[in-house]
Amino acid sequence: MVFRRKIYDRMLRWKKEKQGKTALLIEGARRVGKSTIVEEFARNEYKSYILIDFSLVPRNIIDLFDDLTNLDYLFLSLQAIFHVDLHERESLIIFDEVQFCPRARQAIKALVKDHRYDYIETGFLISIRKNVQDILIPSEEESVEMFPMDYEEFSLAVNGTDCTVLRKFFDGGMALGTAHRNAMRDFRLYMLVGGMPQAVMQYIATNNFRAVDEEKRGIINLYEADLNKIDPSGSISKIFDSIPAQLSGKKSRYQISSVLPNRRASDSQTANLINELEDSKTVLIAHQADDPNVGLSNSEDLDYYKIYCADTGLFTTLMFKDKTYTDNVIYQQLLTDKLPANLGFLFENAVAQTFAANGNKLYYHTWRDKESGKSYEVDFLLAEGKKICPVEVKSSGYKNHASIDAFCRRFSSRVGRKYLIYTKDYAKDQDLVCLPVYMAQFLSDRSEI
């Protein structure tokens, strides 16, 4: 089963615009569907293709990339080994899991210059960066990040419908009315299943949350095994496992010392761990913007951050990791909004995933008012032209939005539109736009399905 993915259109643009002048490197966490969508692209858009999975191929194929003085021999060898005829400017060669063969990645320079065929690479970012010490990174390579399935991709896979209708309501500033309840139920389903293709496939095949949960636990175990290879001390795994607890505690930052005693966020060793975790693409990091303005990165505080799971479905399972499996009853209660807990942090993680998938680096702002002594926090900041848009996420109503009001008073000259994302229907509270969470995708949508 191959799902419709937005990155497919990105690959089409690359093929049309670059005409073989660059190779495309698709980075992303494991199990997000990189290999599947690239092979589907090759099957549909080229006369023939060869897929070389460097995690599986024998040594004799890897050895082919040690000597590029005779490209004719390389191409003849690949055609003979894979039983595929290559056609000039009509064939694609895929370097899958390219991190296992750094020489193949270095070969991109010569292969692109030869210009006979197109090239797409896929890889796991941490391993890619660790396996480049002895090679020259090709300037002819452009990269794009692939994320788990977003809500629209999920909806297409499960319901066969995109978000065109929802977009019309958003653009028109209209409430859905009686359709809102179903829309929220569908989005909650997305938060529970998530966007990992195997989990979505399991849901479609079984319609059983326990089977989906087992699939997600397998992915989490795979991630933790990878993290333990990076850091045998287990510190990175502990940071990853503690994400739900840190977010549910409504802390203004990830408190490293509560997970790793005697560690501080400013320690270089801690910073290295966080960088490694971020490079794994299993998480999303939101940094504090100390002085929010259009150039949010200019006031980024590297020691003050929150951590989210890159996939909201994995986040849901990680919440109940202490149990052998997440009971169907818990899933049903979450789906119907009857679980006796504040799920604001679950929606916050879903919004973080939505913004990141649409190309936004995540920022937030927190401060203490000197006069009142009150602490405030705006969950997300988005740049819009010469203004910034504060975004607050709630799991209930919209009557109380003290933080976003205080932010707008404090930075009145910098603020454009302001949004509250919640579980109710579209509404406006004076100049505050109250959006149902399934419309969050339209605030930062930089791609179309």
Side-chain angles (χ1 to χ4, degrees):
M1 186 181 297
V2 180
F3 299 125
R4 181 77 171 91
R5 305 297 299 272
K6 293 179 179 179
I7 199 171
Y8 193 102
D9 292 332
R10 172 67 178 84
M11 290 188 285
L12 277 176
R13 291 197 301 272
W14 163 79
K15 182 177 185 291
K16 180 180 178 180
E17 294 171 3
K18 300 302 181 179
Q19 296 288 315
K21 295 178 181 177
T22 66
L24 187 66
L25 171 63
I26 298 179
E27 304 171 339
R30 296 179 68 181
R31 301 292 179 88
V32 296
K34 300 186 297 295
S35 303
T36 300
I37 198 63
V38 170
E39 187 167 14
E40 178 74 0
F41 179 75
R43 189 181 296 116
N44 294 340
E45 308 299 334
Y46 290 87
K47 189 172 182 178
S48 68
Y49 70 94
I50 290 175
L51 188 151
I52 308 172
D53 185 344
F54 286 112
S55 68
L56 300 174
V57 296
R59 185 71 210 181
N60 66 304
I61 295 179
I62 293 177
D63 289 343
L64 288 173
F65 294 91
D66 287 339
D67 183 2
L68 298 178
T69 56
N70 189 340
L71 290 181
D72 287 342
Y73 177 76
L74 170 66
F75 295 137
L76 283 173
S77 298
L78 292 177
Q79 291 175 88
I81 293 169
F82 289 95
H83 307 289
V84 172
D85 291 332
L86 293 174
H87 307 275
E88 189 166 335
R89 302 304 318 133
E90 295 183 288
S91 294
L92 174 70
I93 298 178
I94 304 168
F95 291 170
D96 198 23
E97 304 291 357
V98 72
Q99 69 269 17
F100 290 107
C101 186
R103 292 294 176 185
R105 188 181 180 199
Q106 180 174 264
I108 287 295
K109 185 177 185 66
L111 296 173
V112 167
K113 183 179 180 181
D114 174 76
H115 204 246
R116 266 179 269 186
Y117 314 114
D118 284 354
Y119 301 90
I120 294 182
E121 309 161 84
T122 75
F124 179 43
L125 186 59
I126 286 183
S127 296
I128 287 176
R129 288 186 176 174
K130 286 185 177 298
N131 294 337
V132 296
Q133 295 93 336
D134 301 320
I135 72 168
L136 178 67
I137 302 300
S139 59
E140 295 78 7
E141 174 187 275
E142 58 182 277
S143 63
V144 61
E145 185 174 350
M146 186 172 181
F147 293 87
M149 297 169 71
D150 66 15
Y151 174 58
E152 186 166 21
E153 292 169 329
F154 175 84
S155 182
L156 270 172
V158 173
N159 303 319
T161 58
D162 60 19
C163 293
T164 301
V165 174
L166 292 180
R167 179 82 203 209
K168 290 179 179 178
F169 277 89
F170 171 81
D171 290 340
M174 299 180 293
L176 263 71
T178 55
H180 167 73
R181 183 175 180 181
N182 287 340
M184 273 306 306
R185 183 187 61 192
D186 287 346
F187 192 86
R188 284 195 179 93
L189 176 63
Y190 168 63
M191 290 198 299
L192 299 178
V193 176
M196 304 304 288
Q198 295 93 334
V200 177
M201 197 177 303
Q202 192 66 255
Y203 171 74
I204 293 172
T206 67
N207 196 39
N208 185 285
F209 280 135
R210 179 165 182 170
V212 174
D213 190 69
E214 289 174 352
E215 190 71 43
K216 291 190 293 178
R217 284 176 184 269
I219 296 172
I220 289 174
N221 291 338
L222 175 68
Y223 284 176
E224 291 180 337
D226 286 338
L227 295 176
N228 284 330
K229 290 177 185 176
I230 298 165
D231 171 42
S233 74
S235 295
I236 295 183
S237 290
K238 290 179 182 177
I239 295 171
F240 178 77
D241 288 344
S242 299
I243 292 174
Q246 291 281 325
L247 289 177
S248 65
K250 298 182 180 180
K251 299 176 175 65
S252 61
R253 64 189 294 183
Y254 193 105
Q255 297 183 346
I256 285 290
S257 60
S258 66
V259 179
L260 305 176
N262 303 319
R263 289 281 185 87
R264 296 167 58 90
S266 57
D267 295 341
S268 59
Q269 187 176 7
T270 301
N272 289 335
L273 291 176
I274 297 300
N275 288 337
E276 295 272 29
L277 181 58
E278 187 173 20
D279 282 349
S280 75
K281 301 301 180 182
T282 61
V283 304
L284 303 169
I285 308 290
H287 281 281
Q288 159 89 353
D290 288 332
D291 184 25
N293 214 325
V294 177
L296 290 167
S297 60
N298 294 331
S299 65
E300 180 180 36
D301 189 337
L302 297 178
D303 297 330
Y304 214 97
Y305 50 81
K306 289 185 175 184
I307 305 179
Y308 300 96
C309 283
D311 179 69
T312 185
L314 296 184
F315 179 79
T316 303
T317 295
L318 198 62
M319 286 167 55
F320 302 101
K321 188 172 179 287
D322 57 322
K323 299 186 66 172
T324 305
Y325 67 92
T326 309
D327 197 286
N328 264 343
V329 173
I330 294 176
Y331 271 107
Q332 197 61 38
Q333 288 177 325
L334 281 166
L335 184 62
T336 56
D337 199 22
K338 294 182 179 179
L339 191 68
N342 184 347
L343 294 183
F345 61 96
L346 180 55
F347 286 101
E348 188 178 332
N349 196 102
V351 172
Q353 178 182 349
T354 298
F355 288 167
N358 283 330
N360 294 275
K361 193 169 182 181
L362 302 179
Y363 294 99
Y364 70 104
H365 183 67
T366 182
W367 76 101
R368 179 182 292 274
D369 184 78
K370 294 181 179 179
E371 294 182 3
S372 65
K374 292 182 179 180
S375 294
Y376 296 99
E377 179 180 310
V378 172
D379 297 317
F380 299 102
L381 300 172
L382 298 175
E384 186 179 65
K386 296 182 179 180
K387 300 288 185 178
I388 51 175
C389 298
V391 180
E392 192 170 341
V393 181
K394 288 182 173 291
S395 60
S396 54
Y398 66 90
K399 294 299 182 183
N400 181 20
H401 39 78
S403 290
I404 205 165
D405 291 341
F407 181 89
C408 291
R409 289 193 299 269
R410 192 179 191 203
F411 301 105
S412 58
S413 63
R414 308 177 187 179
V415 174
R417 287 177 287 189
K418 53 184 181 180
Y419 299 95
L420 185 143
I421 296 175
Y422 68 153
T423 59
K424 307 299 182 182
D425 205 346
Y426 184 100
K428 292 193 72 173
D429 183 6
Q430 297 181 16
D431 60 343
L432 177 69
V433 179
C434 304
L435 288 180
V437 66
Y438 50 79
M439 287 187 179
Q441 60 186 313
F442 304 132
L443 292 186
S444 58
D445 192 1
R446 298 181 181 180
S447 58
E448 297 180 356
I449 196 78

